[in-house]
Amino acid sequence: MSSPRVGVLALQGDTREHLAALREAGVDAIPVRRRDELESVDGLVIPGGESTTMSHLLRDLDLLEPLRARLADGLPAYGACAGMILLASEILDAGAGGREAVPLCAIDMTVRRNAFGRQVDSFEGDLQFVGLDDPVHAVFIRAPWVERTGADVQVLAEAAGHTVAVRQGPMLATAFHPEMTGDCRIHRMFVDIVKGQV
């Protein structure tokens, strides 16, 4: 695959920043809001935002089951923060009252929402990241962490003793926001996954 098309789920969150990072990584990047756009992409980024709101919008726009089906068929996906939560097979503290975050079951992991605390507990730090030579500067905003990983899930980074980045086959997820730092290495890694190069 020479020049794949990678979508960014454009319901909420840092859509523009992810599109810019993907274009910097050398791919055709488009916002995805409709089923035909979802069907046209070779990979998908699910950005940060509010996972319960994103789940509600996926249902309202009739994208939830088509997205689950594409992921089950092997569509490569990268989830950042709320995107990590949605890619999980199990979500702890998922919400209530019809506003729950809905797992897409793309990565065999259990994720706890807002695990590092509220907005005021947001923080930044440098992390060692498997596959990258130099540390990644990570921005955590109301971030989740991974409490359990399945046997086929590779842990890529940890912060404060908790798993904050994983990969399973064509699926990649981080609890932090690389699109906010200008460092495109994780997006380039995802593009290489989409191309089948790593």
Side-chain angles (χ1 to χ4, degrees), residues 1-15:
M1 183 184 299
S2 55
S3 183
R5 169 178 282 185
V6 179
V8 177
L9 190 64
L11 306 182
Q12 190 200 30
D14 292 342
T15 303

Side-chain angles (χ1 to χ4, degrees), residues 9 11 32-33 38 44 46 51-68 86 102 104:
L9 190 64
L11 306 182
V32 171
R33 296 182 187 89
L38 176 62
L44 183 70
I46 304 176
S51 55
T52 57
T53 299
M54 292 170 77
S55 296
H56 182 72
L57 291 169
L58 282 169
R59 284 195 204 94
D60 277 2
L61 296 171
D62 249 353
L63 280 173
L64 182 60
E65 292 312 320
L67 176 54
R68 274 192 176 139
L86 294 178
V102 177
L104 296 169

Side-chain angles (χ1 to χ4, degrees), residues 38-39 42 44 46 63-77 86-88 103-108 168-171:
L38 176 62
E39 294 301 326
D42 304 301
L44 183 70
I46 304 176
L63 280 173
L64 182 60
E65 292 312 320
L67 176 54
R68 274 192 176 139
R70 284 229 58 199
L71 294 171
D73 285 344
L75 176 73
L86 294 178
L87 287 176
L104 296 169
C105 300
I107 299 176
D108 182 12
Q168 182 177 9
M171 307 297 169

Side-chain angles (χ1 to χ4, degrees), residues 31-134:
V32 171
R33 296 182 187 89
R34 300 190 313 267
R35 188 169 181 166
D36 62 325
E37 293 164 341
L38 176 62
E39 294 301 326
S40 77
V41 297
D42 304 301
L44 183 70
V45 172
I46 304 176
E50 216 295 310
S51 55
T52 57
T53 299
M54 292 170 77
S55 296
H56 182 72
L57 291 169
L58 282 169
R59 284 195 204 94
D60 277 2
L61 296 171
D62 249 353
L63 280 173
L64 182 60
E65 292 312 320
L67 176 54
R68 274 192 176 139
R70 284 229 58 199
L71 294 171
D73 285 344
L75 176 73
Y78 164 48
C81 197
M84 169 185 258
I85 294 167
L86 294 178
L87 287 176
S89 54
E90 181 183 18
I91 302 169
L92 302 178
D93 298 327
R99 298 290 291 187
E100 297 89 357
V102 177
L104 296 169
C105 300
I107 299 176
D108 182 12
M109 63 180 175
T110 301
V111 173
R112 183 175 295 280
R113 289 176 69 236
N114 303 330
F116 283 105
R118 303 169 81 79
Q119 191 88 11
V120 295
D121 301 309
S122 300
F123 67 98
E124 300 181 23
D126 292 336
L127 307 177
Q128 295 298 322
F129 197 99
V130 173
L132 300 177
D133 293 335
D134 296 318

